[in-house]
Amino acid sequence: MNDATINPASMEHLESFRLCLDSVARERIFIGRLQAPSKADMRERFEAGQRNGVIQDWALVNGRVVGWALVMPHHAFGLTHSSWLALGVHRDFRRQGIGHRLMTGVIEQAWQSGLKRLELEVWADNQPAITLYEKLGFRREGVLRNYRYLDGRYTDAVMMAQLRE
Amino acid sequence: MMLDVHIEPSRPELVESFHDCLDSVARESQHLAFDQAPPLEQMRLYVAEGLEKGMVQYFAVDGENVVGWCDIRRAAREIQSHAGTLGMGIRTGYRGQGLGSRLVEWSLIAAWSRGFTRVGLDVFAANKPAIALYRKFGFEHEGVKVSGRLVNGVYDDIVVMGLLRNE
């Protein structure tokens, strides 16, 4: 029951991606934003990402974006071997291995591009994601206390990373 | 040497001197995630926009010259608007004389009074004086980005520290 295909992000599907991002954001549980950017803002960010070497794949089902994974290389001095990852899957398409496939794909591309370190942050109460990241080879590096304040409640973030020689 | 250096809040007239100070520290290629300062115009914008969005920034000033800075930037995301990120630097020749402590003290007081409830920072593991300074103010070790820094083929870890406002 999994006919999702993994594809490089493309302008053609940008609005569908924006709707998927908006849906996950509005759950107010998993990601760092509470809604998607506007169409114009989204386009600008996408183009900037392409210029800045962002690796991004989208999961498509019948032409609709249902998940994303991206690797953003750091650009600051001394940090360019390192990068920051993000993942999201639409609520109707979870528990089908799409997140795992998305992550496996961008991680492989990240190593091939010469990156040496992949890092991410995940809310401490998101155990399914933490389990997935551990399965993919990420290790815990620390806990950022009270990193999110939402709906009257603080949440910690777990810092995770993996390295390649 | 007796220092007559005072601490004052950021203001536009000091940004050019701040730029020189940041550039000097950046060019040491030791302590910052810069090896030179961003262009002056970019820094003017950074300071103006930052202050507008509630950034805390203090300068250590010797005469007319900025010789150190500390800023606490507000995170862009709504869910992190309570959280600040601290960055600082002191020009060589002005270190080891307590300026860093004065800058951090003033900045934290301002941050708490402006509603921040968390201040976090990244520091290179090799920078022991900075880590000792942050510990003195109660920052706790929250994690380590293993091999998070790579300069001229040499890795260093990045220590992540955080301080929560006393409630």
Side-chain angles (χ1 to χ4, degrees), chain B residues 3 30 148:
Chain B
L3 279 184
Q30 293 287 326

Side-chain angles (χ1 to χ4, degrees), chain B residues 125-136:
Chain B
N127 193 353
K128 303 296 181 207
I131 293 171
L133 170 64
Y134 299 138
R135 279 199 189 286
K136 194 174 79 176

